Amino acid sequence: MHINDIENIMNYLFSAALKKCGNFEDAEDLTSETLLAALKYPKEIKDIKKWLSGVLNHKYYDMLRRKYKFPTVSINLITEDIPDFEEEQADVPSDDEIRREVAYLSGKYREVIVRHYLNGEKVESIATKLGIPKGTVLSRLSTGREQIRKGFDSMERYEKQSYQPEQLEITCNGCMGLNNEPFSLVQGDILKQNILIAAYEKPVTCVEIALSLGVPTAYIENAVNDLVKSELMQKKGDKVFTDFMIATPEQILKSLDVQIEFSEKNYDTIWSLISEFTAEVKECIKDLQLKENERRKLEYFFILHLFSNGIYQAVQRIVPSKEEYPLRPDGGKWIAFGNRYPLDFDFESYRFSKYCYGGERRSYEENFFSSKSVDLHIYDAQPDLNKYQHGDTLLNDEIFMKMLYIIYKGIPFNYTGLDPIYLERIPHLAECGILRMENNIPELDIPVISKQKYDEIEKLLIQKIYVFADMFEPLLREIMPEMKYKVPKHLESRIAECRKYSCYAFPMAVMKIAMGKGDFYTENCTPPMVMVIEE
């Protein structure tokens, strides 16, 4: 190559070098090294500009290695060959861009790319360490480079979640796990929440999730492994999907409006049956030594108990479906359900938050201290919902039940084996109407009844459930299609048909009307819970 030919493009090379290095000194060194390599090259060069661009880029990587002792990678660098680059330097991907794309590769491609190009391992060494043929390593290197090239369309493939993440609130039917699973599985973890949202509409690979969220695949893979292990996600080949139903505020509010209108239209019929049942409960418990607010909490509990079971029976008649609660790795038997919201969602103004309530939860213990059994039944209801659970100390249902029993029996805390830290929750529980203070001593402010008495009320309840379902079914059948959620095709067979309908704002809708008419007062009768003790 004649020196005059090289000098003609020196300005172009220096400009490209300056753009990469960011300072004149390094740019001059890089340009000199490129020209020196060109002068030493023994063969004829057909496209000198393209060739020199490739050499400059190659030398730039060498410079970074020397300067920062930090490995770099070129997607076009194949063994010892000089890379081919586009003629215009502006089209050559920067080192940062290449590293970004490496981060979005799936594990099997990312590993060989990092080992070979970043760590400098030979193909034979990689094959030996990974226990795979040399040809497989070469194939993965080739596929990895090709995927990196395709990745340079940058933001075009990102989903809205990459710059506007959402929050996912998980609820469940069934029995929670030992550490409040499934709630605790993603609570406070915005990455896992958005992974579940990203994998809801269809099965996707970890790479597709990574690209949609704008998060390197390595982080996605670890989180996905946790979610699969906890059974919030399932694997299907090399793809994963969220294994429960997720609803949006728009879907929920649409169904809420239908339920409110229905409740207003049929209030007299519904409340007549509830009043009849409440009168029977009052008669059944008239001999119990309960304070007035404890009686009302007991009534409220059984009203919700009737509503929940009656609606479920009516829905099952309209859309018969079997539902099993699988035993989970966390020890629970639950089916998850999710609600997705924007991060800045205004819950204070969210109408549904005034109508939602929690289904029955139970904590049961046999041979606990002097009692044959202890059974705590809970409905989280408006207006305070589950305020008593909030606080700095985690208070799961099992510990909560034991703590209430110990206080009820007057057992000194230091004899129980429970952590004294739970004593700090007493003022909060008193504020929430679960405890009351008598001469600075906490006492239960919820109804405590015998198992025999509870079973008597349950017999009344069972009779009324079927009467309720008989009354509710024909009325509900007309509006059921308006309350059905759209479920992704791959989840159709995995979700019980009855769970695809949002029918569970009815109790609070009816109770609000009752309060407005003066038929029932919830003041001082929340939370509706009852402790059942068998001596």
Side-chain angles (χ1 to χ4, degrees), residues 258-259 262 266 310-319 468-483 501-504 506:
V258 174
Q259 293 177 75
F262 175 92
N266 299 285
I311 291 172
Y312 183 77
Q313 287 296 326
V315 172
Q316 281 285 349
R317 294 178 185 181
I318 298 170
V319 282
F468 189 98
D470 290 340
M471 174 270 296
F472 216 73
E473 178 198 342
L475 302 174
L476 187 61
R477 192 178 289 274
E478 297 179 11
I479 62 169
M480 283 290 282
E482 300 177 62
M483 297 187 295
Y501 294 84
S502 177
C503 306
Y504 299 98
F506 286 119

Side-chain angles (χ1 to χ4, degrees), residues 281-296:
V281 172
K282 287 180 179 179
E283 180 65 23
C284 185
I285 65 173
K286 67 181 181 180
D287 60 325
L288 297 182
Q289 299 299 312
L290 297 174
K291 295 182 180 297
E292 180 58 28
N293 61 320
E294 293 173 356
R295 288 178 179 273
R296 295 186 63 75

Side-chain angles (χ1 to χ4, degrees), residues 102 105-119 121 126 129-130 132 140-141:
V102 170
L105 291 175
S106 63
K108 67 179 182 179
Y109 300 122
R110 187 178 66 249
E111 183 171 30
V112 294
I113 288 286
V114 169
R115 283 177 177 272
H116 185 60
Y117 291 117
L118 302 187
N119 298 340
E121 292 186 36
I126 296 172
K129 289 179 179 179
L130 297 183
I132 56 177
R140 291 181 183 178
L141 287 172

Side-chain angles (χ1 to χ4, degrees), residues 180-230:
N180 286 340
E181 293 91 349
F183 307 100
S184 59
L185 294 173
V186 299
Q187 191 173 25
D189 193 328
I190 199 69
L191 176 61
K192 286 184 178 178
Q193 292 173 24
N194 280 270
I195 288 173
L196 290 167
I197 292 171
Y200 177 62
E201 292 296 339
K202 63 179 181 179
V204 288
T205 65
C206 287
V207 173
E208 289 172 321
I209 297 173
L211 295 177
S212 69
L213 300 186
V215 177
T217 308
Y219 296 96
I220 298 297
E221 288 170 337
N222 285 335
V224 164
N225 287 339
D226 287 345
L227 293 169
V228 170
K229 186 177 179 180
S230 64

Side-chain angles (χ1 to χ4, degrees), residues 45 59 64-65 71 74 127 132 154 158 216 245 253 375 408 436 449 493 497:
I45 303 172
K59 294 295 181 183
L64 287 181
R65 290 189 183 94
S74 165
I132 56 177
S154 189
Y158 292 172
M245 195 161 61
L253 289 175
D375 200 354
Y408 175 70
R436 62 176 178 269
I449 63 176
S493 62
E497 193 65 22

Side-chain angles (χ1 to χ4, degrees), residues 229-489:
K229 186 177 179 180
S230 64
E231 298 184 356
L232 286 178
M233 299 187 88
Q234 293 291 330
K235 294 198 75 170
K236 186 177 182 180
D238 64 340
K239 296 185 177 183
V240 293
F241 62 88
T242 300
D243 197 26
F244 57 88
M245 195 161 61
I246 298 177
T248 64
E250 293 75 21
Q251 291 173 314
I252 293 170
L253 289 175
K254 179 183 176 183
S255 178
L256 174 63
D257 290 335
V258 174
Q259 293 177 75
I260 292 174
E261 183 180 352
F262 175 92
S263 300
E264 291 172 345
K265 181 179 178 181
N266 299 285
Y267 173 76
D268 290 339
T269 303
I270 297 170
W271 195 254
S272 175
L273 182 61
I274 290 175
S275 297
E276 185 180 307
F277 172 63
T278 306
E280 293 176 1
V281 172
K282 287 180 179 179
E283 180 65 23
C284 185
I285 65 173
K286 67 181 181 180
D287 60 325
L288 297 182
Q289 299 299 312
L290 297 174
K291 295 182 180 297
E292 180 58 28
N293 61 320
E294 293 173 356
R295 288 178 179 273
R296 295 186 63 75
K297 288 175 182 177
L298 190 64
E299 290 174 26
Y300 196 11
F301 172 85
F302 277 105
I303 287 173
L304 293 176
H305 210 28
L306 171 63
F307 243 123
S308 295
N309 287 281
I311 291 172
Y312 183 77
Q313 287 296 326
V315 172
Q316 281 285 349
R317 294 178 185 181
I318 298 170
V319 282
S321 51
K322 290 184 178 179
E323 187 173 40
E324 296 182 1
Y325 296 91
L327 180 62
R328 303 294 185 174
D330 53 55
K333 295 183 75 173
W334 47 261
I335 296 172
F337 183 90
N339 298 305
R340 59 189 286 189
Y341 308 98
L343 281 182
D344 59 352
F345 191 73
D346 183 8
F347 285 97
E348 287 295 321
S349 303
Y350 185 39
R351 287 191 300 119
F352 181 73
S353 65
K354 307 299 186 292
Y355 289 85
C356 61
Y357 82 109
E360 186 193 18
R361 303 203 317 274
R362 292 181 61 186
S363 297
Y364 180 78
E365 187 82 16
E366 290 185 347
N367 301 315
F368 191 60
F369 285 91
S370 62
S371 298
K372 196 171 182 180
S373 68
V374 185
D375 200 354
L376 182 65
H377 301 253
I378 302 172
Y379 276 98
D380 292 325
Q382 299 294 343
D384 299 320
L385 205 56
N386 59 342
K387 178 182 175 182
Y388 64 93
Q389 288 183 307
H390 302 163
D392 297 331
T393 307
L394 178 64
L395 193 62
N396 64 37
D397 284 351
E398 182 183 3
I399 294 174
F400 182 51
M401 181 269 293
K402 291 179 178 179
M403 181 179 175
L404 295 185
Y405 175 88
I406 288 165
I407 292 173
Y408 175 70
K409 290 288 188 176
I411 303 172
F413 230 79
N414 56 330
Y415 293 165
T416 65
L418 287 185
D419 193 328
I421 195 172
Y422 295 116
L423 290 171
E424 298 176 7
R425 297 299 299 273
I426 287 177
H428 178 66
L429 295 177
E431 180 186 331
C432 295
I434 294 171
L435 301 177
R436 62 176 178 269
M437 304 303 293
E438 299 283 349
N439 298 319
N440 291 322
I441 297 175
E443 294 186 4
L444 261 60
D445 201 21
I446 61 171
V448 179
I449 63 176
S450 68
K451 185 177 184 302
Q452 180 183 356
K453 183 59 68 173
Y454 186 87
D455 290 344
E456 288 179 27
I457 305 174
E458 276 276 282
K459 288 180 181 178
L460 298 175
L461 175 78
I462 292 170
Q463 295 171 8
K464 280 293 186 291
I465 284 174
Y466 294 103
V467 176
F468 189 98
D470 290 340
M471 174 270 296
F472 216 73
E473 178 198 342
L475 302 174
L476 187 61
R477 192 178 289 274
E478 297 179 11
I479 62 169
M480 283 290 282
E482 300 177 62
M483 297 187 295
K484 187 173 184 180
Y485 289 151
K486 183 180 179 181
V487 177
K489 187 175 181 181

